[in-house]
Amino acid sequence: MKRQFINSLLLLLIPVLFHCCEESLTLLPPQGKVKDEYWKSKEDVRATLMGAYKSLAMNDELFFYYGELRADMLKAGGNLSNELRDIMRSNIYASNDWTNWGSFYSVINYCNSVLKYSPEVKTIDGTFSDFDFQQYNAEAVFLRSLAYFYLVRVFKDVPFVLTPYDTDDQDFFPAKLSDDVILDSIYNHLTNILPVIPEEHETNDKTRGRATRGAVHALLADIALWRFDYQACINHIEFIENSDLYELVPGSNWFTIFSEGNTLEGIFELQFNSQLGQDNNMYNVTTPMNNYFLSSDQAFQMLSPTTSKEVIRGYGSVTDNELIWKYIGKKPDGFSLRSGTDRESSNWIVYRLADVLLMKAEALSQLGAYDEAIAVVNEIRARAFVATYSSYPQNAAALEELIIEERARELAFEGKRWFDLIRMGSRDDYERKNKLIEIIIKNVPATQKRVLATKLNDPYGWYLPIYEEELENNPNLVQNPYYQIY
């Protein structure tokens, strides 16, 4: 049984077909090649790193679900699966397939393999320069850290694995580690790679689609804000602001952020090209033909054309004002759908400049710098051609609500909303927990409000359970205490 488990894990070491701003596609290692024959050249290291990018990109649907399902911006369409409906209603059980964290650990295993074997390859391959060696390793650290940041925000405490599964003598049953310890560790790892990771790559697509110093600072800022280290968050974002690589897209061209991708606003985007077999799942998830999701009433109210650049207009026979346009539209007109050649090629944007600027506004508000915070918010609103604030709350809690709502407008359906609400609800020892509950229960029928409010009252219930198969396979895992009760 152990041997069978090891063999399945070893498969994760084999890079898959992937194209990340590359000129050609390669399958490495060749069919039949074993691990001992593989780690011989810098190309092997690069191919495995590209496998990590590909594995991360395959999670685009999960990024959407984990960041939006339990929040207040979505409404279930008639064809949505029961498992996804259950998550939206917080009727979540360990048997729900969407609680499987395996795809994130696949990314982590690729990265751990790069970090373990690249030093050996460098002693073998004389063409493997110090520059490439440091860059590949830094990119692997970034991707691994991003995967762990998602795991911590979705599951809280998780196993923390820093070596690849590739031998018989490893511990295949790691216990969970606390989220604080994991966040400490990845924050330090990311800080250590800042001096060696490049500020940009040789082309714009690669600069947006591969890890850069700006992307590392964005992730560090996000982690710092999640941990309520507001000054650190601001410091990281100021590096991004001071770079000449990023700027807000003019409001008249705002929709190019999504319809074209790789704009100057993009800091880190997962790249897709359906003509090369690299399909983004978001067209299928949000197209009206499939009828999986519509925008909620709350989203419609927040995303009025007078207050937002987001478009949620009707198409064909579908009810007006309910569509999610970012992933299906070619133009911001509510009618021009993406063509068959590009409908599954839109990038998934992990970080863009408007996102990190609004993080900065939130951090400033918590430090009492209300004027500076609202100046950032007004910059985003001015870009969207909507009225700026001339008066605003002079206390942290009320200004926080204004900023969180501005994030909902600007970053609608980009996988941010649920994490924003958890962060708000957790702040100051859960002082704002009731505000989170108030926002979420608006999105359910009156008959379900009391039940959902009771479930959300326990912060452990804000996280997902450990998938039942993981519990069966690993005797050292302990279920999230909330799901031991319900």
Side-chain angles (χ1 to χ4, degrees):
M1 184 64 148
K2 181 181 178 184
R3 171 69 64 181
Q4 184 179 21
F5 183 48
I6 292 170
N7 288 341
S8 66
L9 286 165
L10 286 173
L11 291 176
L12 296 178
L13 294 175
I14 302 174
V16 294
L17 278 170
F18 182 58
H19 181 279
C20 178
C21 312
E22 299 301 313
E23 290 72 24
S24 62
L25 294 176
T26 308
L27 180 63
L28 291 172
Q31 199 169 28
K33 195 177 226 184
V34 298
K35 180 173 70 71
D36 290 343
E37 298 174 338
Y38 179 62
W39 296 101
K40 301 297 183 184
S41 71
K42 65 183 180 185
E43 287 75 19
D44 296 339
V45 177
R46 182 184 181 85
T48 307
L49 179 64
M50 294 302 106
Y53 278 104
K54 172 62 175 178
S55 187
L56 185 69
M58 291 171 66
N59 286 313
D60 63 320
E61 194 174 348
L62 273 180
F63 296 149
F64 177 74
Y65 292 156
Y66 288 160
E68 301 291 345
L69 277 182
R70 302 182 69 188
D72 60 339
M73 303 287 283
L74 293 178
K75 179 167 62 177
N79 293 331
L80 189 66
S81 72
N82 288 331
E83 286 197 326
L84 292 175
R85 286 178 188 275
D86 285 342
I87 294 177
M88 292 184 75
R89 298 167 179 166
S90 287
N91 294 329
I92 310 168
Y93 299 93
S95 57
N96 190 313
D97 287 339
W98 293 105
T99 67
N100 187 343
W101 61 31
S103 59
F104 287 99
Y105 281 104
S106 176
V107 177
I108 291 164
N109 204 51
Y110 275 114
C111 296
N112 286 341
S113 298
V114 169
L115 295 167
K116 176 178 179 178
Y117 290 106
S118 59
E120 297 180 20
V121 172
K122 196 170 186 308
T123 65
I124 298 171
D125 184 355
T127 68
F128 197 4
S129 67
D130 288 339
F131 178 84
D132 286 344
F133 171 76
Q134 291 179 340
Q135 177 179 319
Y136 294 169
N137 278 270
E139 289 183 74
V141 168
F142 171 81
L143 295 175
R144 182 179 69 182
S145 300
L146 181 60
Y148 272 121
F149 189 43
Y150 267 98
L151 284 168
V152 163
R153 290 182 297 170
V154 174
F155 297 96
K156 201 174 191 314
D157 303 336
V158 298
F160 191 46
V161 182
L162 298 178
T163 56
Y165 286 109
D166 59 357
T167 65
D168 282 353
D169 58 357
Q170 290 177 254
D171 178 12
F172 290 100
F173 308 114
K176 293 192 297 184
L177 200 60
S178 81
D179 56 343
D180 284 335
V181 173
I182 294 172
L183 291 174
D184 274 341
S185 182
I186 64 175
Y187 191 91
N188 290 333
H189 294 163
L190 289 165
T191 301
N192 290 338
I193 65 172
L194 280 172
V196 298
I197 199 161
E199 287 195 51
E200 59 184 313
H201 296 278
E202 55 268 35
T203 66
N204 181 61
D205 286 1
K206 289 183 180 181
T207 295
R208 312 299 159 184
R210 289 178 63 176
T212 59
R213 198 165 301 167
V216 174
H217 276 291
L219 178 53
L220 282 166
D222 208 358
I223 294 170
L225 188 60
W226 185 260
R227 306 192 75 189
F228 314 125
D229 188 346
Y230 304 120
Q231 189 57 56
C233 173
I234 293 168
N235 293 343
H236 290 299
I237 292 169
E238 287 180 344
F239 172 89
I240 297 170
E241 289 182 282
N242 292 331
S243 169
D244 60 2
L245 293 172
Y246 313 105
E247 62 183 56
L248 291 176
V249 170
S252 57
N253 296 327
W254 183 84
F255 201 68
T256 62
I257 298 170
F258 312 99
S259 62
E260 297 177 12
N262 297 322
T263 64
L264 290 178
E265 187 157 327
I267 299 173
F268 182 60
E269 306 185 18
L270 297 175
Q271 312 275 305
F272 294 88
N273 187 331
S274 61
Q275 295 184 18
L276 296 172
Q278 304 143 22
D279 294 343
N280 185 311
N281 292 308
M282 292 311 301
Y283 182 90
N284 289 327
V285 169
T286 57
T287 178
M289 278 71 84
N290 288 336
N291 193 21
Y292 295 151
F293 294 104
L294 299 169
S295 61
S296 68
D297 295 340
Q298 287 79 9
F300 172 59
Q301 293 169 9
M302 282 193 285
L303 302 177
S304 162
T306 62
T307 61
S308 173
K309 292 296 293 183
E310 177 60 285
V311 180
I312 50 170
R313 302 174 187 168
Y315 176 82
S317 61
V318 178
T319 304
D320 284 352
N321 301 316
E322 292 188 334
L323 291 190
I324 298 168
W325 199 248
K326 279 179 178 172
Y327 306 109
I328 63 174
K330 183 66 176 176
K331 300 177 183 179
D333 58 10
F335 301 99
S336 303
L337 290 172
R338 296 178 187 273
S339 68
T341 58
D342 66 2
R343 62 178 45 177
E344 294 174 341
S345 295
S346 60
N347 292 349
W348 176 264
I349 300 174
V350 180
Y351 291 114
R352 58 185 178 95
L353 184 57
D355 179 8
V356 299
L357 290 178
L358 288 170
M359 289 185 205
K360 181 182 180 182
E362 184 177 330
L364 287 167
S365 74
Q366 295 303 310
L367 292 176
Y370 306 136
D371 293 347
E372 293 178 61
I374 207 68
V376 176
V377 173
N378 280 340
E379 182 181 5
I380 302 300
R381 291 176 66 82
R383 188 269 291 272
F385 304 127
V386 298
T388 57
Y389 292 107
S390 56
S391 62
Y392 42 88
Q394 294 292 315
N395 67 84
L399 190 55
E400 171 194 40
E401 291 176 23
L402 181 151
I403 294 168
I404 292 292
E405 185 167 316
E406 196 66 40
R407 284 182 59 82
R409 291 191 187 95
E410 176 64 31
L411 305 168
F413 315 115
E414 293 182 45
K416 306 287 183 177
R417 180 64 170 168
W418 177 245
F419 300 131
D420 287 349
L421 294 178
I422 288 183
R423 189 174 62 250
M424 180 188 69
S426 302
R427 184 171 283 125
D428 298 327
D429 197 23
Y430 302 102
E431 184 178 288
R432 310 296 317 283
K433 179 174 66 173
N434 288 338
K435 184 62 182 179
L436 176 148
I437 295 172
E438 174 190 326
I439 291 171
I440 299 303
I441 65 174
K442 286 181 182 178
N443 206 32
V444 299
T447 56
Q448 299 176 23
K449 290 184 185 296
R450 181 175 295 181
V451 173
L452 182 56
T454 300
K455 290 181 176 181
L456 292 174
N457 193 57
D458 182 347
Y460 274 102
W462 303 351
Y463 301 91
L464 294 185
I466 298 175
Y467 190 45
E468 63 181 6
E469 291 187 12
E470 295 289 346
L471 292 170
E472 293 170 2
N473 291 332
N474 184 348
N476 292 325
L477 287 179
V478 178
Q479 183 60 277
N480 177 336
Y482 174 87
Y483 298 97
Q484 294 174 357
I485 299 172
Y486 291 95

